Amino acid sequence: RPLHGVVVGLTGTRSIQERLGSALRAQGARTFAAQRSEVVELPLEADLRAMCCGKSCWIVFTSGNGVRIFFAQLARQSIDLRQLHACRFAVIGKTTGDVLKTFGVYPDLCPDQYTSQGLAQALRKRVGLEEPVCLFRSRLGSAVLPEALREYRNVRDIPLYTLRPQRRPGENPDTRLQTADYLTFSSASGVELFFQAHGRLPEKAVCVCIGDVTAQALRERSSRPFLVSQEISANGVVQTILNQIIGLQKN
């Protein structure tokens, strides 16, 4: 297989690492958790019943974690899903949309480009300036989306969760990092958490970022060249690594 013998360090939450690790191992790579992030639910600062029930508004999700926590909060507040009949749902990409579908809701909007900028552009084409927009996402989320919607009069940025480093007892990823050929980053917050835990990048590894927002976060922390997957997906990361390896082999 094309990635036989290639070692890839993964960062991000367990669900992200499972999807990406599975795609990489299918191509022959060996993977390990270089930095694991734990999802921590936050106390909800908003009244979902007053905000969403019976009212027309856009509910926007930028991750599967946000979807799951949102519906868990609905259950805690004893809110029947039918009370959201006037709401419309937007997701940042197919993966987030698939999580939404598991709760019996199909997204009304999913951008062609699975990025914060792509989502913002799609919302601006569909949403009126007076329509309420609720962004349910991570407290560590990029400012790109709310900034792109700043001309809207009724946008609320509502943090549902945050991320923190997670380390298993006896785990020492620093040693394994030195063996990595590639190191993947799937979010700007993942870049920040990695540097908090490790301080610097491993010397040997080529970093691979998902999308421009993640790439900008790494660019602010390191001057080393790295790869950027423009397709915001596990397959996009795999293809980015494959393309570089094929290019090296040709040279």
Side-chain angles (χ1 to χ4, degrees):
R1 290 175 290 180
L3 295 183
H4 176 74
V6 174
V7 179
V8 184
L10 308 175
T11 69
T13 62
R14 183 178 66 178
S15 61
I16 290 171
Q17 291 189 19
E18 286 176 350
R19 290 197 304 273
L20 184 51
S22 177
L24 286 164
R25 290 190 294 272
Q27 298 296 326
R30 290 186 289 132
T31 66
F32 69 95
Q35 174 63 49
R36 189 175 286 110
S37 301
E38 179 183 12
V39 177
V40 181
E41 186 174 345
L42 297 172
L44 189 61
E45 300 171 357
D47 184 348
L48 292 181
R49 193 178 301 277
M51 185 187 310
C52 305
C53 294
K55 299 179 181 179
S56 175
C57 74
W58 280 88
I59 295 175
V60 182
F61 297 114
T62 60
S63 72
N65 292 321
V67 174
R68 285 184 282 267
I69 293 173
F70 175 82
F71 282 93
Q73 290 281 4
L74 288 183
R76 291 193 191 98
Q77 296 186 29
S78 300
I79 296 175
D80 191 308
L81 186 58
R82 290 171 293 184
Q83 295 181 55
L84 305 184
H85 64 90
C87 296
R88 281 171 287 181
F89 292 79
V91 296
I92 198 169
K94 181 181 182 301
T95 300
T96 305
D98 288 343
V99 177
L100 183 62
K101 291 174 187 178
T102 65
F103 292 92
V105 178
Y106 283 70
D108 299 281
L109 184 152
C110 179
D112 294 328
Q113 183 182 12
Y114 299 165
T115 64
S116 295
Q117 191 63 45
L119 177 57
Q121 290 174 356
L123 285 168
R124 292 174 69 173
K125 291 178 181 177
R126 291 281 302 275
V127 180
L129 287 175
E130 301 292 340
E131 287 187 87
V133 179
C134 300
L135 311 177
F136 291 100
R137 60 195 200 121
S138 167
R139 175 169 284 171
L140 302 177
S142 161
V144 170
L145 182 57
E147 276 293 309
L149 299 174
R150 62 183 179 275
E151 77 270 27
Y152 283 76
R153 297 175 176 83
N154 195 2
V155 175
R156 298 187 63 178
D157 193 3
I158 304 162
L160 289 179
Y161 66 96
T162 189
L163 299 171
R164 67 185 179 196
Q166 180 187 42
R167 177 169 290 187
R168 296 176 178 176
E171 186 179 56
N172 185 10
D174 292 295
T175 301
R176 297 195 68 183
L177 274 170
Q178 305 312 313
T179 70
D181 299 300
Y182 293 89
L183 179 64
T184 66
F185 292 103
S186 56
S187 68
S189 58
V191 173
E192 180 66 27
L193 291 173
F194 179 87
F195 277 91
Q196 286 181 18
H198 302 284
R200 60 188 177 87
L201 297 172
E203 295 181 6
K204 176 185 173 185
V206 176
C207 295
V208 186
C209 292
I210 292 184
D212 294 331
V213 173
T214 305
Q216 181 57 35
L218 183 58
R219 200 172 288 117
E220 292 171 357
R221 303 300 297 262
S222 173
S223 60
R224 278 172 47 180
F226 56 87
L227 306 177
V228 182
S229 168
Q230 293 300 328
E231 180 182 330
I232 314 299
S233 69
N235 288 334
V237 172
V238 174
Q239 192 59 52
T240 299
I241 294 174
L242 284 171
N243 289 344
Q244 196 213 34
I245 289 176
I246 292 171
L248 291 174
Q249 291 172 345
K250 287 182 178 179
N251 294 332

